[in-house]
Amino acid sequence: MTGLDIGIERVDPFKDMKNRPQAGHGLNFLLVGTDGRDRISREDRREYRLGGAPCHCTDTVMLVHLSADRKRASVVSLPRDSYAELPAHRDESSGRQHGPHPVKLNAAYAEGGPRLTVRTVEHMTRVKIDHYLEVDFTSFMKTVDAMGGVEICTAKALDDRNTGLHLLPGTHRLSGGQALQYVRSRHVDGAADLGRMQRQQRFMAAIVKQATTGGVLLNPVKFKQVSSTLLGSVRADPGFGSEQMLALGQAMRDFAPSSSEFASVPVGNPSFPVKGIGSTVKWDERKAAELFEAVRQDRPLAPVPGPVRPGQPARPQQPPAVPVDVPPERIRVRVENGTRIDGLGGRLDAALRATGFDTTGTPGNGAGRNVRRTVIAYDPRWDRSARTVSAALPGSELRAVPGQGRTVLVIAGTDYRKVVPVRPEDPHQGRFGVLTGDEATCGN
């Protein structure tokens, strides 16, 4: 760890701050991602669509809470377009004194840098920030490359002309530049910045998985390489140095993907108009207050299963569900037995229904009884539904049948063994739509 903090650029966002929230339990980081395209080479700017001038604002704002026992990390994304009210301050660019006024959250950095950003977030969340970390495009790309890339999976094609992102459904190992395209894209669906936050969370979960299972934390040489790369181009508060990093590393040595959980601030109005500012994201005040109260009290955000009663068998460990594009409950499925194995159709129908599919419940016998490979017959107009069924039945054959209609036909073959659990790619679990790290990353 010696010398790791030498390259860190220091900034004191807590200087002269008054009327701060009361400290809670655990440790809170404010992690911001800034637009630093002016520090990237001309070739990379062209390849990764980073044209234009930097905005001197925060592209990403995340509140990261480490539990007091260091066994859990809770990451809460704050939409950059969140409606915020800035306190009185002096503009860093113009030097002018401003009174309190409404803005989008990312404008706090543009007007007052890290200090005003911290003040604004503390005022909005009533959570006391312990440490500040600022990452730009360059440090992000170099760190991903130092880790050997990061594995991302998607259930649907992702295309964004603005960033140049193009990913087919499946699993991909992204380089630093590709990863930057992935976390910056906000034009791949109708969810805009809210969808982008979900992809950023999945990427952070993948980083945790890569670090904990890829030997980064256990290999001193690899750890030094990755840490030096990241910390060589970040800004942090003076209180975050090698001593604190070593203590955190030791305390979190048993971390796993399931140790992290990801949530976004509950939104009341995603298009709240403000004169002179435009459309902003207005939080659901009641639910947001409950979320940040849980952070202050060091409580898990994800639903916690109840205790197993004495004499009750332990809950079996469930395999990670495969992310899919279409929720299984929206897909009507009819099952036929294409073999001479008695009851196979019924077992497959029951297994699909238990996984969430809307099966007919009355499986029949297929025209042929010598089917070896399970067949999924579908109308091309419902190809996304067919891919969801295919994810639940890996190895099956997809067969397009024009005019079949919305019901997907599954013909059981002798190769059928089990149905793999699936889940919508962006599920909403519990009160705050929390996703744990093992659910957000690619399955085995």
Side-chain angles (χ1 to χ4, degrees):
M1 297 296 296
T2 304
L4 265 185
D5 55 353
I6 293 177
I8 300 178
E9 182 182 344
R10 295 297 177 182
V11 58
D12 189 356
F14 309 118
K15 185 179 179 180
D16 299 328
M17 283 185 63
K18 301 175 182 177
N19 302 318
R20 302 186 65 191
Q22 185 177 354
H25 305 284
L27 201 60
N28 298 312
F29 291 80
L30 187 63
L31 174 63
V32 303
T34 59
D35 183 338
R37 68 188 71 195
D38 53 330
R39 299 171 61 182
I40 294 178
S41 70
R42 182 180 301 176
E43 293 76 15
D44 283 348
R45 285 203 301 271
R46 183 170 56 250
E47 182 175 357
Y48 302 119
R49 311 282 179 91
L50 295 170
C55 71
H56 190 63
C57 60
T58 49
D59 253 1
T60 301
V61 183
M62 290 180 173
L63 178 63
V64 182
H65 172 79
L66 290 176
S67 62
D69 61 11
R70 301 297 188 262
K71 293 182 179 180
R72 185 186 71 258
S74 304
V75 182
V76 182
S77 294
L78 312 182
R80 69 174 192 171
D81 292 338
S82 295
Y83 174 84
E85 295 183 3
L86 297 186
H89 65 279
R90 184 178 299 277
D91 192 306
E92 280 201 344
S93 301
S94 65
R96 292 174 53 194
Q97 186 69 32
H98 292 291
H101 62 280
V103 295
K104 293 181 180 180
L105 177 58
N106 68 338
Y109 188 94
E111 291 193 27
R115 191 174 305 169
L116 185 58
T117 302
V118 170
R119 286 180 64 192
T120 304
V121 170
E122 286 193 344
H123 175 72
M124 296 172 72
T125 65
R126 306 310 301 164
V127 172
K128 186 176 182 180
I129 304 300
D130 300 295
H131 291 295
Y132 174 86
L133 289 174
E134 182 180 310
V135 182
D136 66 8
F137 289 173
T138 303
S139 56
F140 178 89
M141 294 170 67
K142 287 182 177 178
T143 303
V144 172
D145 285 334
M147 294 186 73
V150 173
E151 188 179 74
I152 288 294
C153 53
T154 176
K156 56 188 175 185
L158 300 178
D159 289 286
D160 188 336
R161 293 182 180 179
N162 293 60
T163 63
L165 178 71
H166 175 66
L167 293 180
L168 295 173
T171 301
H172 309 269
R173 181 164 290 275
L174 305 185
S175 66
Q178 294 170 323
L180 184 62
Q181 291 174 312
Y182 179 80
V183 299
R184 290 187 63 239
S185 291
R186 57 199 302 265
H187 300 284
V188 297
D189 50 34
D193 197 46
L194 299 180
R196 183 174 71 161
M197 287 194 309
Q198 292 172 333
R199 285 184 288 278
Q200 291 173 347
Q201 291 173 351
R202 283 199 291 274
F203 186 84
M204 285 193 68
I207 284 280
V208 172
K209 181 177 181 180
Q210 177 89 350
T212 55
T213 63
V216 173
L217 298 181
L218 300 178
N219 183 328
V221 176
K222 189 72 172 177
F223 178 76
K224 177 66 182 290
Q225 179 189 5
V226 172
S227 301
S228 299
T229 301
L230 171 64
L231 299 174
S233 53
V234 304
R235 300 175 79 193
D237 64 273
F240 186 67
S242 56
E243 183 178 339
Q244 288 75 27
M245 286 185 275
L246 180 59
L248 281 176
Q250 290 175 328
M252 297 169 64
R253 62 186 179 273
D254 295 326
F255 235 57
S258 58
S259 306
S260 56
E261 55 181 8
F262 300 85
S264 300
V265 178
V267 173
N269 185 349
S271 302
F272 181 68
V274 179
K275 186 177 180 180
I277 299 175
S279 179
T280 67
V281 176
K282 193 73 182 296
W283 295 358
D284 183 315
E285 294 185 7
R286 181 175 59 82
K287 290 183 179 179
E290 292 177 6
L291 172 66
F292 294 119
E293 175 65 16
V295 172
R296 286 192 295 272
Q297 297 299 324
D298 200 20
R299 297 196 302 263
L301 305 180
V304 178
V308 177
R309 297 175 182 175
Q312 188 178 16
R315 298 181 181 89
Q317 187 71 25
Q318 296 295 327
V322 176
V324 292
D325 191 8
V326 181
E329 60 268 18
R330 297 183 187 173
I331 303 173
R332 185 67 166 171
V333 178
R334 180 166 61 88
V335 176
E336 290 184 356
N337 186 354
T339 74
R340 299 183 184 278
I341 303 173
D342 290 340
L344 183 63
R347 293 198 296 274
L348 176 52
D349 182 284
L352 286 170
R353 178 171 288 274
T355 308
F357 290 94
D358 179 22
T359 67
T360 63
T362 54
N365 291 321
R369 306 304 299 275
N370 297 305
V371 177
R372 293 185 177 181
R373 184 182 177 192
T374 299
V375 174
I376 300 173
Y378 67 97
D379 190 311
R381 294 176 296 172
W382 283 273
D383 60 323
R384 292 166 58 236
S385 295
R387 287 198 297 270
T388 292
V389 179
S390 178
L393 295 169
S396 54
E397 174 191 345
L398 279 168
R399 185 179 297 170
V401 182
Q404 177 174 290
R406 67 178 293 266
T407 299
V408 177
L409 172 63
V410 176
I411 305 173
T414 55
D415 66 336
Y416 168 70
R417 294 294 179 269
K418 64 178 182 179
V419 172
V420 174
V422 296
R423 60 168 173 77
E425 189 166 36
D426 297 321
H428 294 281
Q429 302 179 0
R431 187 162 182 77
F432 306 121
V434 181
L435 196 65
T436 56
D438 55 330
E439 295 170 322
T441 53
C442 305
N444 294 324

